[in-house]
Structures are given as structure tokens and as C-alpha cells.
Amino acid sequence: MAALESEIAALLQRVAATRRTEHAVSLQLAEQYIRAKRAIDAAAIMDGAAATESLEARLRGCGLFDPEAYVTLNPDLDIERHEAWQHFRDGGLGQRRPFTSPEIVARLLAEMAAPLRAEQFCLTQLAEAGSAAGDKVDIAAPLRRRGTRIAVFCSSLGNFYMREIADLLAWGLQAEGIDTVQRDETADIDEPFDLRVFVAPHEFFWLGDGEGWTEVAEAAGSVLYNVEQPQTPWFCRAFPLLLKAPLILDINLQSAAILRRAGCEVVHFMPGHLPTARYAQPYPDISGIPLTKGYAFARQPYNWLARNRLDERPIDLLFIGARAPRRDDTLIRLQELADRHRFWYVYREPSAPFTGQSGAAAEAGWALAQRAKIVLNLHRDWIGYFEWPRMVLQGFWQGACVVSDPGLSAPIFTSGVHYLEENLRHIGELVRWLLETEDGRDKLDRTRMAAYERASSVGSMHVSLGPVLEALAAALRI
Amino acid sequence: MRSYDVTSLGEIVYQTSQGGEAQVAAVIPLYNYAGTVLEALDSVVRQDLPALSVIIIDDASTDQGGEEARSFLEQHAARFAEARIVRHHHNQGLSMARNSGIAWSSEPYLFMLDADNRLRPPALSRLHAALQCSGAAFAYSQLRWFGDTEGIGLADVWEPGRLANDNYIDAMALIRRDALLLAGGYAALADGHGWEDYDLWCRFAELGLEGVFLPELLCDYRVHGASMLRTRTNIHYEALMAEMRLRHPGLFRARAKR
């Protein structure tokens, strides 16, 4: 840990130097950016030093396994607590059994708090430097020169959030000039690519024909893009494949760090803003979205970027998510306030994936958010990750103000500046203040504006793809 | 709705009129809900829709619910364009009580409110606006469950194909009166175990009538020991689904083919 801290101290010095030269956009800046990123990766590998040998060492190094949780979550097993570890190592892991809990993840993250904070700070500074450097940093050049061909895979049967993430990654790579196509589980398994990125492996290798691709997960050139939180059974389902993958992208900073402890090669990647992507563009006509059929405003064309005024957003609060007890409690708590405002709840059973066919449809999320003053982010579990689809894509990119259940943080975005947090018990008071007082509406307006500005500059796709492109080039030994 | 005159099943026991025309009426079937009917009525009084009528069908209650409702309406007579209580000579069950409400009313939009449930203040105005702008046959919202269980309901956008999977739309809906008449009102199912509303939505789907869903919490559904959701309906689930399949083979066959 001391070595890690000294690496981070050195990294902070480099970042400080980067800040001083921030306005002198130059190749030197780009070089510093790359050097600093390499230092982060080196530090991360040291952190997971114990986890390079056996599978057992990797599992123990990761710290996620909990014998108590394993016995509780697998009631079909006739084993005692002291037998849990052996059962998991010798069979349960391969059977994709659940093995951890929010409490274990919380304890682990508490242990990792200092390096995580440092990494978040460094990544933020580096992204700011990368943004200042703009197009002069061309990390994609080596991949283009080599003629690299990439396929981004996503299950056709899964949650529509995953499709959005896959689209953005593919479009981002294409915008960098890299030959990229999209595929699903029905594709020809022998189709040649230099790199294959599998978005949401917990869905892809599980649903439909995806099971037939399991062996490809560990093949050279395969990249698994984890978007699931470690405390969930879905993450556990993908975990054995993640352990074998040559390279992992992870949408959450925290789970990326946990996977590094298991000896995985991981790059944190939150899809960046891509102005040409349809998810980031105005959606003027929403009359075809079934949810809007009963609303007169849905028949009026509306371009929020042409007239970005808070008062013209007819939905006061929007929540889209799967049913969970703590979400139920909160939405009910907001009911009295909802009598005076327009609160929309697009709320489904967790067992029914939010697929594109299911009425709410994919585009409803971002098209409706363009017409919402507030996008509400409520975590499924008490331990809440930075939920990119709801906070960034539905919130920041669409000009809405995100009000969130407190959760783990992410680089670039700051609570209180780019989004607002409040304990669920009191979230109604915050929403009431934001909607019904002059000061509150001013804060609401400033927050959403600041978030959009931040997301479309420092959070741009070009900047966020930098570390990914570097890792992909390394995977191809370029 | 029937070959016989549904209005002959009961008689008016209370009626008041303030003049003016309401577009919307709340239809409240009442059978032994003395403990809750005033809450239901109070939620109607608090609606932000200015012009409104109410009709209570007392289905031969044996408790004080009818008298309590009458006293309430007398106190709030000024709130309603028309207020009326019809008492059935004999208990007829929920379907026929609702049909009486349809027969005794003349407003073009009828909201079916069970006497143990409640409306949120903007419910009728928003559902009414939804019907006017969409042209749909009925409008419904997301529900809040309260009472013995707290939670959010299962309602979702109108997709006729989904009706073959489950009953995901509650009876609390604002319905065009002419659509109700076109469908022949509510049917009484074989053993009277509930789901008359489910059957109605299936018939609407067969007639090509559409519903419109508002993803807002506009209605409160009470879950308690005596509610249909928690007792009779669930116990008889398999039999009811079989009956639905028999009554609506086209809808259920479409599901099987998918």
C-alpha cells in the first residue's frame, strides 16, 4: 500500500504540472496525459500484486467472497459455512453462483477509500487536461494505422441500457476513425476481428445464443465491458468470465478497482458525450412514444437545445427504473408533492428487462428527460453506485437536473455542482425546494446547465476514450 | 347492456342537482364499506376538476354505508353538478352495480371508483385531459397500494397482447360512456370471483378500443383482508385465467403464437 501511495503522490505532482500548462495546449500536454495514465495503471497492478498467481490467490486478493453470504444466497447447497470457500473455488464459481453482498462490498470499498479517492482525483485532472488538449491528442492513430477492426457485441435480448452503451462505444470508436461494427449473439462466431468488445457480459453470455460464446470471452482480443455492480447476482454471474478476460472495461470506478485486486487488467470507462449520437441530440417529436399518448405537450415539436428554458419542460420529475422496495418507499413519499406537479414514474418489474419492445422503449428515457426538469436517481440497494444511464445519459446530456440518492462518486462530476444528493427520507424536501421556491429553481437551473457543460466538454467521448484506446493498442501489442 | 332494464334493479334514494353540466361522473359501487366510503367520497370532493357528478350504487348494503354516504353528499351537495344514490333491491354483485351506475348516469366520461379506494386530487382532470387529447376509449394511471401493503402498482402502457399474460390494468379508470355501452357493460363471470374489469379490457381489445396510460400516481388502491386482490381473486387464479381464455380465445391464441 505504501508503494501505491508513493506512486499516487508522484502522479499528483505530474497532474499539478499538467494543470499549470493547461492553457498551453501542446503535444507536451498529450505526452503528460499518457505518462500519467500509465502511472495509474502501474499503481493499480501493484495494488493487485498478491493476485497474479493461482485462481485461489486472485479470488482471495479480490476480497469479494463471503462464506456467510455464499451459504445464505445458495440455499440449495447442503454445506456448512466452513465448507463454503472450498465449494465456491471448486465448483460454485464455475456455476456462476452468487457469493457476495452489499455489506461485503461496502467493507471492501471502505478499505480502498484512500486510493480510490486519489485515483478519482487524478482521473478528473487528466480528463480536464485531455479536454484542454482537444483533438491534438490522437491516441487512436496507432489503431488506425494498423487497420484495426473492432466488433462491439451486445445481447439482442437484454436491457435497453446495454444497447445504448454498446451504440455509444461503437459510435465513439467510429468517430475516432476506427473500423468498428456492432454484432449480437446471433452473429457468426468465426467472423474475424482484431478486437471483440462484449458489452454487459452478465447478459451477453447468459441470454439466448449467448451461452455458445462463453469460450470466446477469454480468447485473445476479447474485451469484456462490465456495467454491473459487484454486490448483485448478475455481477457474480459474469465474474468467472471477467477473471479470464484478457482486458476489462468497467463503467464504475469502484468495481474497476475491485477487479484489479483480482489481478484483472481493467480500464474505467464511462461513455462520453458524443454530439453526433442520437442519444445526445434533441428528440423533437415524441408523439410516437406510447407513454406520451395522453399528453398534449407530446404533440408539440420541441428542441431543447434551440430553446433551453427550464419553464418549458413540462415534466417536473422523471424516474425510470426497475421495482425495488426502497424505490417504492421513496416514490410513495413523494406522492403528496406529485399532486401539485407532474411526476412521471416509468416503473417495471425487475424480472422484465427494459427491452426496446416494452412500450417504454429505449428512446423514452432520453426523449422524456429532455422534457423533464428533474431526473430522479434512486439506487436499487442501499449501496449506490454512480448510475451512468440515469445520471449522465438521461440527466446531464439531456439538460435535466439530476437529484440522487447519495451514492459512490465518479471522476469528473461533483455532487452539489453537477448533480444534487439527498437522503431518501428527505429527498421530497429537496425536490419541493427546487420546484417551489425562487432560490430552488435558480439552483435547479444552474445545476443542470453546469452538468451539461461539464458532460459535453471534460466528459466528451474523445476524452473518455483516451485510456480505452491506449489499452486496446496495448492488447494488440502496438 | 342487458335485455332487461338495468335501472329496474334499484331505485333512487337520494338526488340533488346544482345545475350545469359535468362531463365526468364518479361511479361508486357500495356494498358494506361503511368504514371506507367516506374516504373515497372525500377524495372525489377534493378533485381539482371543477364540474363533477357522483353516483353511488348501494348494492343492498347491510351496514350503515348507504346512510353515511347520503349524509356526506348532503353536506357537500354544492360540490357536485349532480349527486345521486341508487339502492339495489337485492345484492347484485360488483359487475351489475357498475352497470347500474352506467345506466343511471348521463355524463360522457365515467370513473369507476370502488368504495374502499381513493383518488389523488388531480386524477380526474388529468385522466379527462388524456382522453380528450388521445381519443382513447379509457384512461388509467399508475396506482399506489396502501393499507396492509404499501407499494407501487403494476400498470403500464396499453398493449392488448399483454392482457393474455396478466391483468395489469386496474378497474380504476376514466371510461367513455359510449365505449362501455358498445362493450355491453361489465360481465358477471361464472363464479363471481372478480376480474370483471380484466374481462372488460379484454373485450375492449377485441373491439379495437384503446386505453391510454398516464405514468403518474393518481389513484390509491387499498390492499386489505377483504379486498379482491388479496383474497378471492388470487385463490381462484387458475380458474379465472382459464375462464378468461375461454371468453377471449382470440387474445389468448395470439399470445400462444408469439
Side-chain angles (χ1 to χ4, degrees):
Chain A
M1 191 56 78
L4 172 62
E5 281 167 2
S6 67
E7 282 290 336
I8 288 170
L11 182 58
L12 287 173
Q13 282 181 355
R14 286 189 202 124
V15 168
T18 304
R19 291 284 285 176
R20 281 195 294 276
T21 56
E22 186 174 271
H23 300 296
V25 176
S26 65
L27 288 175
Q28 185 191 354
L29 196 60
E31 198 180 316
Q32 281 180 324
Y33 172 84
I34 293 165
R35 276 211 319 267
K37 179 66 188 63
R38 282 187 179 139
I40 282 183
D41 290 345
I45 288 166
M46 288 185 70
D47 192 30
T52 52
E53 299 286 319
S54 66
L55 173 65
E56 179 163 342
R58 295 181 70 189
L59 292 175
R60 288 195 187 279
C62 154
L64 274 179
F65 179 79
D66 178 56
E68 198 73 56
Y70 190 68
V71 172
T72 306
L73 293 168
N74 296 282
D76 60 313
L77 297 180
D78 187 21
I79 56 169
E80 298 294 325
R81 187 181 182 281
H82 70 273
E83 299 167 308
W85 167 252
Q86 190 183 346
H87 185 277
F88 175 61
R89 185 195 57 197
D90 297 343
L93 174 69
Q95 294 161 12
R96 305 177 178 189
R97 288 180 176 273
F99 59 87
T100 192
S101 68
E103 291 73 21
I104 296 299
V105 173
R107 219 175 298 156
L108 193 54
L109 292 176
E111 276 174 32
M112 299 163 65
L116 275 172
R117 259 200 310 275
E119 186 180 352
Q120 181 178 335
F121 179 77
C122 294
L123 288 176
T124 301
Q125 302 292 302
L126 291 166
E128 287 176 353
S131 173
D135 292 339
K136 295 193 177 171
V137 180
D138 186 7
I139 301 175
L143 290 163
R144 280 199 308 273
R145 276 198 299 273
R146 187 186 185 275
T148 305
R149 191 153 184 265
I150 300 177
V152 176
F153 287 78
C154 182
S155 173
S156 65
L157 304 170
N159 190 315
F160 74 79
Y161 290 142
M162 312 312 172
R163 169 57 54 199
E164 291 171 343
I165 291 168
D167 286 346
L168 284 164
L169 175 59
W171 297 339
L173 292 169
Q174 288 163 359
E176 295 293 330
I178 298 168
D179 182 6
T180 307
V181 297
Q182 288 185 256
R183 295 287 185 268
D184 63 29
E185 74 282 1
T186 64
D188 176 5
I189 204 164
D190 295 321
E191 188 177 2
F193 294 104
D194 298 301
L195 294 165
R196 293 192 258 213
V197 183
F198 296 94
V199 175
H202 69 282
E203 285 191 352
F204 184 86
F205 295 105
W206 190 265
L207 300 174
D209 294 341
E211 277 197 89
W213 288 76
T214 306
E215 286 181 11
V216 182
E218 60 185 288
S222 286
V223 182
L224 268 51
Y225 188 1
N226 176 50
V227 297
E228 193 47 80
Q229 302 166 16
Q231 75 273 18
T232 66
W234 300 287
F235 176 89
C236 296
R237 183 194 282 178
F239 188 62
L241 300 179
L242 292 168
L243 286 176
K244 293 177 184 170
L247 175 64
I248 297 171
L249 307 181
D250 197 308
I251 203 164
N252 283 304
L253 178 78
Q254 293 81 7
S255 41
I258 289 173
L259 285 167
R260 280 190 206 109
R261 289 170 60 110
C264 299
E265 180 77 23
V266 192
V267 175
H268 166 52
F269 170 62
M270 218 165 57
H273 184 263
L274 189 66
T276 53
R278 63 193 173 97
Y279 306 141
Q281 290 182 347
Y283 199 104
D285 179 8
I286 57 170
S287 59
I289 297 175
L291 275 169
T292 70
K293 193 178 158 191
Y295 296 90
F297 73 77
R299 286 159 178 74
Q300 307 296 322
Y302 174 67
N303 179 336
W304 78 275
L305 282 175
R307 268 173 74 88
N308 186 8
R309 291 164 64 162
L310 181 67
D311 289 342
E312 294 185 0
R313 292 174 169 248
I315 301 171
D316 292 307
L317 180 144
L318 172 68
F319 176 73
I320 301 179
R323 184 180 301 273
R326 62 197 312 279
R327 288 174 173 166
D328 271 24
D329 293 347
T330 309
L331 299 181
I332 289 168
R333 209 172 280 141
L334 289 170
Q335 194 179 21
E336 200 173 313
L337 203 53
D339 290 344
R340 301 195 294 272
H341 301 281
R342 284 274 184 197
F343 286 8
W344 279 37
Y345 303 147
V346 184
Y347 202 48
R348 297 254 163 77
E349 290 299 308
S351 56
F354 281 65
T355 58
Q357 293 79 41
S358 66
E363 67 266 31
W366 32 276
L368 295 177
Q370 292 178 0
R371 288 150 177 88
K373 296 181 181 75
I374 294 172
V375 164
L376 191 62
N377 180 49
L378 305 175
H379 304 304
R380 209 166 31 207
D381 304 310
W382 66 269
I383 176 168
Y385 276 71
F386 188 90
E387 300 196 25
W388 176 87
R390 209 173 286 117
M391 296 181 73
V392 180
L393 188 145
Q394 283 175 21
F396 307 158
W397 292 8
Q398 316 304 339
C401 173
V402 173
V403 170
S404 180
D405 186 4
L408 300 175
S409 53
I412 301 173
F413 300 108
T414 306
S415 173
V417 178
H418 305 114
Y419 60 99
L420 305 173
E421 289 185 314
E422 181 54 278
N423 181 281
L424 291 190
R425 185 166 180 180
H426 308 293
I427 213 162
E429 269 313 297
L430 173 61
V431 171
R432 187 198 61 75
W433 178 74
L434 290 170
L435 290 174
E436 298 185 353
T437 70
E438 197 175 323
D439 286 352
R441 284 179 86 88
D442 180 58
K443 177 66 176 173
L444 196 167
D445 208 18
R446 278 189 288 115
T447 304
R448 73 183 188 96
M449 294 289 207
Y452 180 71
E453 198 284 323
R454 184 73 166 174
S456 55
S457 56
V458 178
S460 74
M461 183 66 90
H462 177 68
V463 173
S464 67
L465 268 178
V468 176
L469 296 172
E470 200 188 335
L472 295 181
L476 292 172
R477 302 186 191 284
I478 299 175
Chain B
M1 290 181 286
R2 291 291 186 277
S3 53
Y4 53 88
D5 180 7
V6 173
T7 59
S8 68
L9 298 174
E11 60 183 343
I12 294 176
V13 294
Y14 172 79
Q15 185 170 21
T16 181
S17 173
Q18 301 298 313
E21 279 195 12
Q23 292 280 299
V24 175
V27 174
I28 307 178
L30 173 63
Y31 180 66
N32 290 351
Y33 269 130
T36 60
V37 67
L38 296 188
E39 256 186 87
L41 281 168
D42 189 58
S43 77
V44 177
V45 165
R46 291 172 186 274
Q47 290 302 294
D48 62 14
L49 186 70
L52 182 61
S53 293
V54 64
I55 179 162
I56 296 170
I57 308 297
D58 181 354
D59 195 19
S61 295
T62 55
D63 65 6
Q64 298 302 306
E67 286 77 8
E68 288 180 10
R70 177 181 183 138
S71 171
F72 183 96
L73 290 185
E74 284 171 350
Q75 286 172 40
H76 296 88
R79 172 65 183 87
F80 300 108
E82 286 201 35
R84 189 177 283 179
I85 299 177
V86 172
R87 183 171 167 86
H88 278 173
H89 304 305
H90 307 285
N91 180 258
Q92 300 285 345
L94 186 58
S95 284
M96 199 53 77
R98 287 178 180 151
N99 287 338
S100 274
I102 299 165
W104 282 100
S105 62
S106 57
E107 290 77 5
Y109 302 98
L110 304 178
F111 187 89
M112 297 297 160
L113 176 64
D114 289 350
D116 55 341
N117 292 333
R118 301 184 306 219
L119 295 171
R120 304 302 300 183
L124 295 183
S125 63
R126 293 184 186 180
L127 292 168
H128 185 228
L131 284 185
Q132 289 188 310
C133 83
S134 67
F138 70 107
Y140 58 102
S141 74
Q142 190 54 274
L143 306 182
R144 174 207 169 173
W145 295 334
F146 75 106
D148 288 352
T149 298
E150 287 280 341
I152 308 287
L154 304 169
D156 207 333
V157 291
W158 172 249
E159 285 180 281
R162 246 173 103 172
L163 288 170
N165 293 332
D166 56 21
N167 180 12
Y168 69 99
I169 303 173
D170 186 70
M172 279 194 277
L174 184 65
I175 312 172
R176 288 181 193 273
R177 192 168 183 281
D178 53 12
L180 283 163
L181 294 174
L182 181 68
Y186 289 87
L189 301 187
D191 286 329
H193 294 312
W195 284 14
E196 304 84 358
D197 45 313
Y198 185 13
D199 179 73
L200 182 74
W201 308 142
C202 289
R203 273 184 290 132
F204 273 23
E206 288 164 341
L207 290 166
L209 300 173
E210 291 196 352
V212 59
F213 171 62
L214 300 189
E216 305 180 54
L217 292 182
L218 297 178
C219 305
D220 293 342
Y221 180 93
R222 188 188 303 267
V223 181
H224 57 80
S227 78
M228 300 293 270
L229 174 74
R230 301 276 287 179
T231 55
R232 297 167 71 190
T233 300
N234 279 357
I235 291 166
H236 299 286
Y237 179 85
E238 290 302 331
L240 280 163
M241 281 305 276
E243 187 176 356
M244 286 294 156
R245 194 170 285 113
L246 196 59
R247 292 175 63 84
H248 309 286
L251 270 183
F252 283 77
R253 201 163 39 241
R255 175 207 179 194
K257 280 181 186 167
R258 280 192 316 213

